Amino acid sequence: MSKQDLFLSEVGSTTDLVIVGSGAAALVAALVAAAKGKTVAILEKSAYLGGTSAMSGAGIWIPGNHIARRAGLIDSPEEALKYIRNVAPQGWEETEDSLWKSFVEYAPTMLKFLEENTPLRFELTQEPDTKAEQPGGRKVGRMVSPLALSRRVAGPYSCLIRRSTLPHLFTYGELLKHNPYQAPISTGIRLLPRLIYRLMTNGAGQGSALIAGLIAGCLKHGCKFYVETAAVKLIQHTNGVDGVEAVADGRQLKFMAKHGVLLATGGFEWNTNLLATHFPGVDMLGSPSTNTGDGQRMAQEAGAELDRMNQANIYPSLPVIYEGRKQALPLTFQAEPHSIIVNGRGERFVSEYDFNFGEALDQRDASGQPVNLPAWIVGDRRLMKNAFVLRWLTRHFRGWIKSESTISDLARSIGISGRSLENTIARYNQFCRLGNDEDFGRGSTVWERYMADADGHSGNPTLGAIERGPYYAIPLYRCILGTKGGARTNEKAQVLRPDGSVIRGLYAAGLAMANPIGTRAVGPGTTIGPNMTWGYIAATTMIDISH
């Protein structure tokens, strides 16, 4: 079936909800409303469904979830809220606390609802909170991800699920357990029967499974999808929003909504002007190129306050070719014993094993310019020994990784001070001998010891001296997987004006809202988990409020 055949042309009638976007936040909202008997129109600008969520690893942070309870793990909304308050950036509690409360209340209900109304099934991962030692933190139980699922459950839309730069033939849990990036051959042999079955059944894990399952639930409950349909303007009457003007195949269309419009259009990272304004110096992007800030623009035109525009999901990434251009493959590759991260001055500025090192990479000066770019991963020959992906990429992006026989020559080849780099490495090597990183505490937190698989090991396995040439330098990009700024909302996902008043009929969720969990992640799945929950909250509000 062609994409054109899938375009549903019976427009002009009024539906209960119009949802702009087709990522996880959008589809959760659509499913909630449709399951309650409401009619739902889902508008997707792209030719493909799923947005940034479809490309993701689909790690989902849901405190107090029912899967953890079945495993005997104790948690509560109060403990989760305590944790978020303790680890959030200074000053955020004043504006975000009511949203955090709403998130921790609704997140477990959202996840259980998905298992009851879609073919999705989730499994716990063993990942701790990123700052698990803080009050309210947990060493395990808040991270889940979907099991493998055939894309065929999405029916005629199975061929329209956006593909990823990640290997979605594996589930998130399998990537954590077997690490095919470093051991692709042994992993392939070990999992061969299930991988063959997935190939035969169009099966997948991660974001592909998540979106396939959500689409299946939406179709079961009667949602209508409109692909290649770009929302361009909100329809406003009597000081509120009543619908959306859109363009499809050159036609001007109107979608009217009895219960309001939800903006779940993703980030603005592919909008050149907005990116330059809020994130100068970004090297790579890891999301669909249709994420150009349409939701942010339409919300602002409707009178909304935009906020948190300098927040984003910043993640370590390697370059790959996606849709004909260089794009990001999100991969935690910087956390290796015999390497460090240095800035353009040849100095370390963060623990290399810190999940939130992207926040340090994004540190700005008074004028808004990044202070730690360019950044490099510098290591000795042991860095490359087990790095299959890095060796593979050197053949496809020649000159991307620098290699020299001495540290001073390496420094010269990447344009930094040889003496500074030598001094930095000498200081780091001294920490390795002592077994203690006195500058950044590398290997001292629950998260970092998990990353190093340190349980049962003596000493600090995150530390390994850089002393055996040849030496390597790998560019460490400030890569954005999705911006997190947009329309300011209240705890019910209603969009607000600068004076705090509600814009009737307008809602925002996911990366199109002023995200209450910004660049600093409180867990490894605190982009998608909260975003899905905000889709749930938005739909619940929309169907409960009479318009």
Side-chain angles (χ1 to χ4, degrees), residues 109 114 145-146 270 289 294 303 410 442 499 510:
T109 306
L114 293 189
S145 191
W270 288 90
S289 60
D294 298 337
L410 185 69
R442 174 165 152 172
D499 64 4

Side-chain angles (χ1 to χ4, degrees), residues 443-457 459-462:
S444 63
T445 68
V446 172
W447 172 262
E448 296 189 7
R449 290 187 65 79
Y450 164 80
M451 284 291 293
D453 194 21
D455 288 345
H457 295 276
N460 188 342
T462 71

Side-chain angles (χ1 to χ4, degrees), residues 10 28 79 95 117 122 140 169 189 214 281-282 297 319 332 371 373 389 405 423 436 477 482 494 504 525:
E10 58 274 11
V28 168
E79 284 293 291
T95 57
N117 289 275
F122 298 92
V140 68
L169 192 61
I189 293 172
L214 289 174
V282 165
R297 174 187 55 79
T332 304
V371 299
L373 295 179
V389 172
S405 58
N423 289 341
N436 179 36
Y477 299 116
Q494 296 169 299
R504 185 191 61 79

Side-chain angles (χ1 to χ4, degrees), residues 274-547:
L274 287 177
L275 189 68
T277 299
H278 300 289
F279 294 93
V282 165
D283 299 288
M284 272 200 309
L285 302 174
S287 62
S289 60
T290 47
N291 284 12
T292 54
D294 298 337
Q296 288 82 351
R297 174 187 55 79
M298 288 187 288
Q300 190 172 42
E301 290 173 352
E305 176 188 6
L306 298 188
D307 201 4
R308 303 300 185 198
M309 296 293 281
N310 62 347
Q311 301 295 299
N313 183 2
I314 299 173
Y315 203 80
S317 299
L318 298 173
V320 294
I321 301 301
Y322 179 79
E323 295 185 340
R325 65 167 67 87
K326 187 175 80 169
Q327 196 154 323
L329 167 67
L331 179 65
T332 304
F333 67 99
Q334 83 291 345
E336 294 292 338
H338 301 283
S339 66
I340 57 175
I341 297 173
V342 299
N343 56 25
R345 299 179 296 280
E347 301 168 345
R348 290 178 72 210
F349 56 93
V350 68
S351 167
E352 291 78 5
Y353 280 69
D354 187 344
F355 185 90
N356 279 302
F357 89 92
E359 188 177 22
L361 201 63
D362 193 46
Q363 184 181 347
R364 319 284 183 90
D365 61 20
S367 66
Q369 296 299 312
V371 299
N372 288 316
L373 295 179
W376 300 83
I377 300 171
V378 174
D380 68 14
R381 68 189 185 194
R382 288 167 289 188
L383 170 64
M384 299 294 289
K385 182 178 179 181
N386 297 316
F388 171 83
V389 172
L390 293 179
R391 296 198 304 273
W392 180 80
L393 285 172
T394 59
R395 294 195 292 269
H396 291 78
F397 296 93
R398 296 192 181 278
W400 173 63
I401 295 178
K402 305 295 183 183
S403 177
E404 300 289 349
S405 58
T406 69
I407 292 171
S408 60
D409 287 342
L410 185 69
R412 188 179 306 111
S413 71
I414 60 177
I416 63 178
S417 164
R419 176 171 294 182
S420 176
L421 185 59
E422 288 174 339
N423 289 341
T424 295
I425 291 176
R427 181 172 176 82
Y428 168 74
N429 286 346
Q430 176 66 15
F431 295 157
C432 294
R433 287 187 285 273
L434 296 173
N436 179 36
D437 177 8
E438 296 179 2
D439 287 341
F440 301 102
R442 174 165 152 172
S444 63
T445 68
V446 172
W447 172 262
E448 296 189 7
R449 290 187 65 79
Y450 164 80
M451 284 291 293
D453 194 21
D455 288 345
H457 295 276
S458 61
N460 188 342
T462 71
L463 297 174
I466 301 171
E467 57 191 0
R468 301 179 186 177
Y471 301 95
Y472 294 88
I474 305 168
L476 183 59
Y477 299 116
R478 183 174 59 146
C479 172
I480 290 180
L481 303 185
T483 56
K484 290 191 168 186
R488 167 57 65 182
T489 67
N490 62 16
E491 70 278 6
K492 297 179 179 180
Q494 296 169 299
V495 172
L496 305 177
R497 298 183 180 88
D499 64 4
S501 62
V502 170
I503 300 177
R504 185 191 61 79
L506 185 59
Y507 304 80
L511 299 182
M513 70 187 289
N515 206 286
I517 299 178
T519 301
R520 183 180 301 174
V522 301
T526 46
T527 297
I528 289 189
N531 288 356
M532 293 167 64
T533 304
W534 283 105
Y536 184 94
I537 293 168
T540 301
T541 305
M542 295 170 83
I543 60 182
D544 284 348
I545 292 180
S546 176
H547 294 281

Side-chain angles (χ1 to χ4, degrees), residues 126-186:
Q126 296 304 303
E127 294 166 292
D129 292 342
T130 54
K131 297 182 182 292
E133 59 281 348
Q134 293 293 320
R138 290 291 184 270
K139 293 183 179 180
V140 68
R142 290 174 173 169
M143 269 295 293
V144 301
S145 191
L147 295 171
L149 190 64
S150 172
R151 295 183 184 90
R152 293 174 185 170
V153 300
Y157 295 96
S158 61
C159 60
L160 298 189
I161 297 173
R162 178 173 287 280
R163 296 303 173 116
S164 175
T165 56
L166 293 166
H168 279 188
L169 192 61
F170 299 94
T171 67
Y172 185 92
E174 289 165 351
L175 291 178
L176 293 176
K177 182 178 180 179
H178 301 287
N179 195 5
Y181 292 109
Q182 289 191 334
I185 296 176
S186 61

Side-chain angles (χ1 to χ4, degrees), residues 21-32:
S22 67
L27 295 181
V28 168
L31 177 61
V32 170

